[in-house]
Amino acid sequence: MATLELYSKGASVWIPDPDAVWVSAQLLNDYKPGEKQLSLQLPNGNEVQYPVSSPSDLPPLGNPDILEGENDLTALSFLHEPAVLHNLRVRFLDYNSIYTYCGIVLVAINPYDHLPIYGEEVIDAYSGQDMTDMEPHIFSVAEDAYRTMTREEKNQSIIISGESGSGKTVSAKFTMRYFAVVGGASQQTSVEERVLASNPIMESIGNAKTTRNDNSSRFGKYIEIGFGKNGDIIGANMRTYLLEKSRVVFQVIFHWWVSLLRLRTSH
């Protein structure tokens, strides 16, 4: 909770809204402990009274305008739900950016469209660069993992998570494409394409229709990519985990398909 002194006349706050979830409002008077309501002005000019039973009920404070559209959420003065949602919205609508950092975490918004930001020229731009020196991108995360692996000779993991239809499989594909290019395998073996070629098989098991995806798989995918001493891709292995077996109608068919999922690729 921010100090009460920040709730002064002219301060920006966020209040719940049934349609927009959160809307910005401006304090018309200083808040004084013990007051039961705040006088606020909405962006459309309307004035509203916001009930406050105690200081813990005060609405979240807004960030300074200078921080609007920050590419790293941890740089915001106030990091709460309305601040995060607003910053992501500004970056998506005003900056045409679907990626935003939150420390070492990359937040991605699915544009449900093909964007020209994954070509080899973009891969070349991120290759060898530090995450802090580049705009947020999935290639930056892949580069950080790849360089740490080759420098320290230790295994690295990239966790891609999200709800149904959020674009996890596509993100995994772009990550592997990056590894294939920087590892020198894009023109020789197309390892990432061979690994992802199993997707139709994997998506045919334990799927379920959701509000955002007609064919949502009920399990996770673990893709293990092997690299040689020179940093080049030498193979890959894909397997599933946490399968909701209750989604499978015929157990015999399930066992038959699982045998097909033991995919290995190599030069």
Side-chain angles (χ1 to χ4, degrees):
M1 173 63 67
T3 58
L4 300 183
E5 290 77 10
L6 296 177
Y7 288 88
S8 58
K9 181 179 179 179
S12 176
V13 297
W14 291 97
I15 59 175
D17 182 82
D19 298 320
V21 184
W22 295 95
V23 294
S24 178
Q26 191 176 61
L27 279 172
L28 296 177
N29 300 296
D30 295 346
Y31 169 72
K32 298 178 181 179
E35 291 183 341
K36 297 302 181 181
Q37 59 184 16
L38 296 176
S39 296
L40 305 175
Q41 185 176 45
L42 299 177
N44 59 11
N46 293 339
E47 295 185 11
V48 297
Q49 300 299 314
Y50 185 84
V52 179
S53 300
S54 65
S56 62
D57 295 329
L58 288 170
L61 284 165
N63 285 291
D65 292 341
I66 194 174
L67 296 179
E68 193 165 88
E70 274 286 333
N71 66 5
D72 192 335
L73 297 175
T74 61
L76 300 177
S77 300
F78 306 108
L79 189 58
H80 41 58
E81 179 183 317
V84 170
L85 294 177
H86 177 69
N87 198 73
L88 294 176
R89 182 178 186 276
V90 169
R91 288 185 57 78
F92 186 81
L93 296 180
D94 298 345
Y95 297 170
N96 296 318
S97 177
I98 66 172
Y99 294 117
T100 304
Y101 288 133
C102 185
I104 63 173
V105 177
L106 180 70
V107 181
I109 298 177
N110 192 341
Y112 295 98
D113 198 5
H114 295 287
L115 301 179
I117 59 173
Y118 302 104
E120 288 200 22
E121 68 282 358
V122 181
I123 294 179
D124 292 339
Y126 278 86
S127 180
Q129 301 298 318
D130 189 81
M131 287 183 63
T132 58
D133 297 332
M134 304 294 290
E135 274 294 300
H137 199 290
I138 195 168
F139 288 163
S140 187
V141 175
E143 169 64 21
D144 185 66
Y146 181 78
R147 294 303 168 187
T148 302
M149 178 197 67
T150 55
R151 181 177 61 251
E152 300 181 4
E153 297 185 350
K154 293 182 179 179
N155 294 333
Q156 301 293 308
S157 297
I158 297 177
I159 300 174
I160 302 176
S161 64
E163 61 183 7
S164 176
S166 60
K168 298 183 292 298
T169 300
V170 175
S171 294
K173 180 177 181 178
F174 288 138
T175 302
M176 286 187 287
R177 178 183 298 173
Y178 186 89
F179 292 146
V181 173
V182 298
S186 62
Q187 299 302 321
Q188 293 112 14
T189 62
S190 297
V191 173
E192 82 285 1
E193 293 183 9
R194 296 175 64 183
V195 173
L196 288 171
S198 65
N199 256 353
I201 298 176
M202 299 182 70
E203 293 295 341
S204 67
I205 309 174
N207 55 356
K209 184 175 181 180
T210 67
T211 56
R212 299 187 181 183
N213 192 347
D214 288 341
N215 193 36
S216 177
S217 55
R218 300 292 90 197
F219 52 80
K221 303 184 184 100
Y222 181 78
I223 304 173
E224 186 177 59
I225 301 177
F227 294 85
K229 293 183 178 180
N230 297 325
D232 54 326
I233 295 178
I234 60 176
N237 179 44
M238 180 185 291
R239 58 181 179 268
T240 62
Y241 60 92
L242 298 179
L243 172 63
E244 295 181 8
K245 295 184 179 180
S246 61
R247 300 284 187 180
V248 182
V249 179
F250 299 105
Q251 193 69 20
V252 175
I253 295 178
F254 168 70
H255 286 303
W256 180 70
W257 279 111
V258 165
S259 65
L260 296 180
L261 295 177
R262 304 178 185 278
L263 172 67
R264 290 188 178 276
T265 60
S266 60
H267 288 302

